């Protein structure tokens, strides 16, 4: 039976690449999106072209009040598309960037980072646990910036650091259900994250490339296939780990 993975923020960037990488390895995918429905449906079409099944559902990971409704819609979608009441893998990928020096970070921007990257991950996972099959996998997304500092990213990196700690506790509590939980920490990647800053700003791109052992910043194809591999039975004994995928950033 094909495994079903739910990837948040899968209409673009790293989430999209992860969803397609899962499909190429023989998995089916629930694609979530916030506003980009057309792009999400395009991902669904690509997965179907690869021989898999997929479903696109809207989700605002920063709005905890909507999670119960999302879970209900997910349950209906699982039944309609797969004839199942459960899914197997959760990839907490959706996110955004806020960059400001410590002295200039606003409460509003800080709260949004917490709501999306930490509170959203915590309570979305909590809401979806009844729909997850025992023996499943959870992958949370962090950042290389929890280990290597760059000015302006203190709030973002701190929130991701909280996700790294949360991952260990998730692994401990969910071990009784044989659910493995890991966190993947990408380095700088050329996607449209933070307005495409790494991809489209030569100075920014060069800054991160020069601090990376392999001499360049990453692309989505460097990370998505790694996440899909982590979900497979090949890595069933990997649990409660922070895995950096950065090409050797900051060593």
């Amino acid at each position: 039976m094909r495994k079903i993975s739910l990837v948040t923020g899968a209409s673009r960037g790293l989430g999209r690449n992860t969803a397609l990488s899962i499909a190429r390895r023989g998995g089916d995918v629930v694609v979530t999106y916030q506003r980009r429905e057309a792009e999400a449906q395009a991902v669904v079409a690509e997965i179907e072209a690869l021989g898999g099944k997929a479903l696109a559902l809207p989700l605002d990971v920063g709005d905890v009040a909507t999670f119960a409704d999302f879970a209900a819609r997910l349950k209906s979608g699982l039944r309609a598309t797969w004839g199942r009441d459960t899914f197997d893998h959760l990839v907490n990928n959706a996110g955004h960037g806020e960059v400001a020096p410590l002295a200039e970070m606003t409460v509003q921007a800080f709260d949004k980072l917490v709501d999306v990257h930490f509170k959203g991950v915590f309570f979305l996972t909590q809401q979806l646990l009844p729909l997850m099959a025992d023996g499943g996998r959870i992958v949370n997304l962090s950042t290389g910036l929890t280990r290597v500092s760059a000015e302006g990213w203190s709030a973002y990196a701190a929130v991701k650091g909280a996700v790294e700690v949360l991952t260990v506790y998730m692994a401990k509590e969910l071990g009784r259900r044989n659910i493995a939980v890991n966190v993947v920490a990408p380095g700088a990647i050329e996607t449209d994250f933070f307005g495409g800053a790494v991809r489209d700003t030569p100075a920014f791109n060069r800054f991160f490339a020069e601090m990376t052992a392999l001499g360049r910043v990453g692309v989505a194809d460097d990370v998505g296939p790694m996440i899909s591999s982590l979900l497979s039975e090949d890595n069933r004994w990997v649990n409660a780990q922070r895995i950096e995928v950065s090409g050797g950033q900051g060593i």
Side-chain angles (χ1 to χ4, degrees):
M1 182 172 65
R2 293 171 70 100
K3 300 291 187 180
I4 303 170
S5 301
L6 190 157
V7 182
T8 65
S11 64
R12 61 191 178 99
L14 182 54
R16 175 183 178 276
N17 190 282
T18 298
L20 294 174
S21 296
I22 291 168
R24 293 187 186 103
R25 293 179 68 93
D28 294 340
V29 189
V30 178
V31 173
T32 85
Y33 64 94
Q34 185 176 6
R35 292 181 297 270
R36 302 168 183 261
E37 181 177 7
E39 289 91 335
Q41 294 296 348
V43 176
V44 168
E46 289 185 72
I47 292 170
E48 291 173 343
L50 291 167
K53 291 183 179 180
L55 171 67
L57 294 174
L59 171 67
D60 182 352
V61 296
D63 188 353
V64 172
T66 67
F67 290 174
D69 176 69
F70 173 76
R73 288 185 286 112
L74 173 61
K75 187 172 184 177
S76 295
L78 289 169
R79 287 176 175 171
T81 307
W82 288 278
R84 287 182 54 181
D85 290 322
T86 61
F87 69 100
D88 303 285
H89 306 143
L90 173 61
V91 181
N92 285 307
N93 163 77
H96 72 291
E98 293 281 355
V99 179
L102 186 67
E104 299 174 14
M105 175 62 67
T106 67
V107 172
Q108 292 80 7
F110 185 92
D111 284 349
K112 186 177 180 182
L113 284 170
V114 172
D115 286 346
V116 170
H117 292 277
F118 183 58
K119 189 176 178 181
V121 169
F122 189 107
F123 287 104
L124 181 64
T125 303
Q126 180 193 74
Q127 188 71 55
L128 296 183
L129 281 175
L131 299 180
M132 282 199 71
D134 290 351
R137 304 283 187 272
I138 297 174
V139 174
N140 298 322
L141 269 291
S142 182
T143 174
L145 293 168
T146 60
R147 186 181 60 81
V148 179
S149 63
E151 185 176 352
W153 291 92
S154 60
Y156 176 81
V159 173
K160 288 297 194 181
V163 171
E164 294 183 5
V165 174
L166 174 62
T167 297
V168 175
Y169 280 82
M170 283 182 173
K172 181 68 172 180
E173 293 193 24
L174 299 179
R176 62 180 64 95
R177 292 182 53 189
N178 198 31
I179 294 175
V181 189
N182 293 286
V183 62
V184 169
I189 309 175
E190 290 184 349
T191 67
D192 58 359
F193 178 78
F194 194 57
V198 172
R199 179 191 62 208
D200 301 333
T201 308
F204 207 43
N205 190 295
R206 186 166 55 252
F207 170 79
F208 282 108
E210 289 175 351
M211 63 186 294
T212 301
L214 292 180
R216 64 171 175 85
V217 298
V219 295
D221 272 336
D222 293 321
V223 184
M226 180 272 163
I227 295 174
S228 65
S229 174
L230 187 59
L231 296 173
S232 75
E233 282 299 302
D234 293 342
N235 287 298
R236 66 181 179 270
W237 205 237
V238 179
N239 193 26
Q241 301 302 306
R242 178 192 186 275
I243 304 167
E244 183 163 318
V245 190
S246 69
Q249 182 175 293
I251 63 172

